[in-house]
Amino acid sequence: VQLQASGGGLVQAGGSLRLSCAASGSIFSISDMGWYRQAPGKQRELVAVITSGGSTNYADSRKGRFTISRDNAKNTVDLQMNSLEPEDTAVYYCNAMIRRLWSAHEDSYWGQGTQVTVSS
């Protein structure tokens, strides 16, 4: 099982970026999918998470600016980021709780990370 993230880059403050992440491999089911980020010198933190049923949860500072969505048929999760601020600069990681084929439990999988840099 692999998670492949894409869509990071350099943007000016106030701009927008859309991150995408696709899960592939021997997947039986995926429950929660989410995005986390890690800024230099800081711990990895939650950005947003979405359940298989579409329920969402956002870190407070991202509410109203970020929107998480997923396509269950394609095993993808996206993060639309608007009104970006320099404080949003970080490496963004996608995460998914995946039950593999022939497995009785879920495991947590991480994408490789994609850099988002917001200039002031």
Side-chain angles (χ1 to χ4, degrees), residues 18-74:
R18 187 175 184 89
L19 307 182
S20 296
C21 179
S24 62
S26 301
I27 296 171
F28 177 77
S29 63
I30 303 176
S31 58
D32 292 355
M33 301 185 82
W35 288 94
Y36 293 73
R37 70 186 188 186
Q38 187 167 19
K42 295 187 177 181
Q43 290 187 330
R44 191 172 298 188
E45 62 178 1
L46 171 72
V47 176
V49 65
I50 184 168
T51 68
S52 58
S55 297
T56 58
N57 186 38
Y58 295 90
D60 286 345
S61 64
R62 267 71 77 182
K63 285 182 180 178
R65 297 192 297 124
F66 293 4
T67 302
I68 190 170
S69 60
R70 66 188 282 176
D71 185 327
N72 290 334
K74 296 180 179 179

Side-chain angles (χ1 to χ4, degrees), residues 94-112:
C94 59
N95 174 265
M97 297 301 298
I98 297 174
R99 179 180 172 185
R100 293 176 298 163
L101 294 174
W102 308 294
S103 175
H105 62 273
E106 287 184 330
D107 291 301
S108 178
Y109 290 86
W110 293 90
Q112 81 281 15

